[in-house]
Amino acid sequence: MRRITRRSGALGAAAGAAILLALSGCGGDSGDYPVEVTGQTECDSLGTLPTCQDDMSDARVTGENEIILNIDSLGAETASSGTAVLTNDGGTWEGTIEGTRTESDEAEDGYCYDFTAELVGTGDYDGLVYSATYTGCDLPWEVTGTIDEVEE
């Protein structure tokens, strides 16, 4: 977790200006957040090591998403958790993903999916967090989420 402290005087003003410039490079002043995003993801497999291509309404969270899932329970509803790394030219988002695969007659492969991810940005996205929900019965899955500042 990042903590930004305020300082007074010339040194504090310079530090504040540097922080403002850094945040501007990430998408704007703090009043610009959270940013809602929507899109889709297409994965090469639905196993425990899928690589997905996230195509989102915001370029900061569009890119290749490599996921490692651990199966927590098996059955009509299979629970999984793991890690996700979303990468593009601006940086990387890294964090956790968890959710369920539920049996369904609606789905081509017999399952519907509901996963949530919480990813922290690096590179141009340093100081930001991306929260996303991935849902669907057949690929591509729908993705909704928010880009926000890391809480102080």
Side-chain angles (χ1 to χ4, degrees):
M1 199 177 305
R2 296 186 177 268
R3 180 171 301 274
I4 299 173
T5 58
R6 296 179 187 225
R7 297 180 187 190
S8 60
L11 182 58
I19 290 170
L20 180 60
L21 288 173
L23 288 174
S24 295
C26 293
D29 298 328
S30 61
D32 293 343
Y33 292 100
V35 175
E36 293 185 22
V37 295
T38 60
Q40 295 182 329
T41 191
E42 184 74 49
C43 302
D44 63 356
S45 74
L46 296 177
T48 57
L49 297 170
T51 297
C52 303
Q53 179 63 38
D54 291 11
D55 185 16
M56 302 299 294
S57 60
D58 190 307
R60 294 174 290 180
V61 290
T62 294
E64 184 175 274
N65 198 349
E66 294 182 348
I67 301 169
I68 299 173
L69 288 174
N70 303 304
I71 297 174
D72 299 329
S73 67
L74 287 172
E77 182 172 288
T78 301
S80 300
S81 62
T83 60
V85 179
L86 173 62
T87 306
N88 60 39
D89 291 340
T92 301
W93 300 90
E94 299 181 45
T96 59
I97 187 166
E98 61 182 24
T100 57
R101 178 186 78 175
T102 306
E103 290 182 359
S104 173
D105 293 335
E106 298 174 33
E108 199 172 290
D109 74 347
Y111 298 100
C112 289
Y113 301 83
D114 186 6
F115 282 86
T116 58
E118 186 82 12
L119 310 175
V120 175
T122 66
D124 289 349
Y125 317 128
D126 189 40
L128 299 175
V129 62
Y130 173 47
S131 302
T133 300
Y134 298 80
T135 57
C137 294
D138 297 308
L139 290 169
W141 293 337
E142 296 298 315
V143 184
T144 58
T146 58
I147 300 170
D148 206 348
E149 295 175 300
V150 173
E151 291 183 19
E152 294 182 23

